[in-house]
Amino acid sequence: MQAKTEARPVGIIGGTGLTTLSGLQIIGEQMVDTDWGEPSAPLVEGRLGEQPVVFLARHGNPHRIPPHQVNYRANLQALLRAGVRTVVGVNAVGGIHPAMGPAHVVVPDQLIDYTWGRASTFFEGELESVTHIDFTFPYDRDARQVLIDAAAGQGIQCSASGVYGATQGPRLETAAEIRRMERDGCDIVGMTGMPEAVLAAELGLRYVCLGLVVNWAAGKTDQIITMEEIQAAIDTGMSDVKVMLEQSVAGLGRLSPLPQSS
């Protein structure tokens, strides 16, 4: 692993089912203005144990912003300005791989982007030069390992790899679309994994996804997907997500910052 340094605040972006974070000792809230407008919600600053944390509700609090209208650029820049250098994106996802059913936790190592029309870069407008970042490995290896170790230490069943397929939403996918994604190699499907991951990379942030499977993807069973099914999986699995966050934030906070890109 990389050399470690003094603890910095860890950013946690909560998605569906994680609008607030229990166990967080709240110190204060602030709405940060950015070059790209306001983030989805005020930044909630606090501590999990001894570790400083900055929590942001991706869809707002209450949950009101659909995936394709989240201001991802403002969210990431606000966290950067708050001193965050490592970000955990918590995502509710659908399970495609047979081992990744409802209430299962996944720490993916790769992704495929199927979204369109979203503001997906900081490098646009009147630029002095064109910038291309390396995105071979979209999730930070060291941060992933901290989460995986936290799951193992608590006896939580967790897939330590997987391919996240990011779709446009807000509708769920068709069975044919899921079959296509499965052929492409996707193991899970969600709507908020991109452009969040690439924007974090452009800023030089360590970024990792913590995915909670909340339903089988379309066509993986002979039943339609219901919100009741999704809520039941959230109720069952979110406790594991919170335990993993609580057990990993100290290690995440000690990871050395990456060089800043923007």
Side-chain angles (χ1 to χ4, degrees):
M1 293 187 67
Q2 299 290 324
K4 295 181 180 181
T5 184
E6 61 185 271
R8 287 178 171 268
V10 172
I12 299 175
I13 302 177
T16 300
L18 193 64
T19 303
T20 59
L21 188 60
S22 59
L24 180 65
Q25 179 186 351
I26 297 175
I27 297 172
E29 294 188 10
Q30 61 170 320
M31 178 55 82
V32 179
D33 192 24
T34 77
D35 298 335
W36 310 95
E38 291 187 349
S40 298
L43 302 184
V44 179
E45 299 176 338
R47 288 183 176 274
L48 273 176
E50 297 300 315
Q51 172 61 41
V53 169
V54 179
F55 179 82
L56 174 62
R58 183 187 290 116
H59 298 283
N61 186 12
H63 188 287
R64 59 182 178 80
I65 306 172
H68 64 297
Q69 291 185 326
V70 171
N71 191 341
Y72 295 96
R73 290 189 292 192
N75 287 354
L76 271 299
Q77 191 178 72
L79 290 172
L80 178 70
R81 290 184 173 177
V84 167
R85 296 297 180 267
T86 299
V87 176
V88 181
V90 180
N91 299 90
V93 298
I96 299 175
H97 191 283
M100 300 180 188
H104 187 69
V105 179
V106 185
V107 181
D109 62 328
Q110 278 295 332
L111 65 79
I112 300 176
D113 186 10
Y114 300 93
T115 66
W116 49 269
R118 301 184 181 189
S120 58
T121 183
F122 292 106
F123 301 122
E124 63 181 20
E126 297 183 8
L127 303 175
E128 294 182 1
S129 62
V130 176
T131 301
H132 302 284
I133 65 161
D134 178 75
F135 202 50
T136 306
F137 303 104
Y139 303 114
D140 183 78
R141 179 186 62 183
D142 294 337
R144 289 184 59 254
Q145 193 61 53
V146 172
L147 284 176
I148 292 164
D149 290 346
Q154 297 298 310
I156 295 171
Q157 294 295 315
C158 170
S159 291
S161 64
V163 179
Y164 181 125
T167 59
Q168 180 69 1
R171 68 167 178 85
L172 297 172
E173 299 72 36
T174 68
E177 287 170 331
I178 293 299
R179 289 195 296 270
R180 172 200 173 192
M181 294 176 71
E182 190 168 22
R183 291 194 297 271
D184 287 348
C186 296
D187 298 304
I188 54 177
V189 55
M191 301 175 189
T192 55
M194 285 289 284
E196 195 169 272
V198 72
L199 292 171
E202 287 188 351
L203 292 177
L205 297 171
R206 293 182 182 270
Y207 180 86
V208 62
C209 170
L210 177 53
L212 174 63
V213 181
V214 298
N215 60 274
W216 285 112
K220 303 307 291 182
T221 72
D222 57 4
Q223 303 295 318
I224 64 170
I225 300 169
T226 67
M227 292 309 299
E228 290 78 11
E229 169 192 3
I230 291 173
Q231 188 59 53
I234 289 173
D235 293 342
T236 301
M238 193 55 71
S239 59
D240 285 343
V241 169
K242 292 178 179 178
V243 168
M244 287 178 64
L245 290 172
E246 291 166 358
Q247 296 298 314
S248 64
V249 287
L252 294 170
R254 289 192 296 268
L255 293 174
S256 58
L258 299 176
Q260 298 300 288
S261 299
S262 175

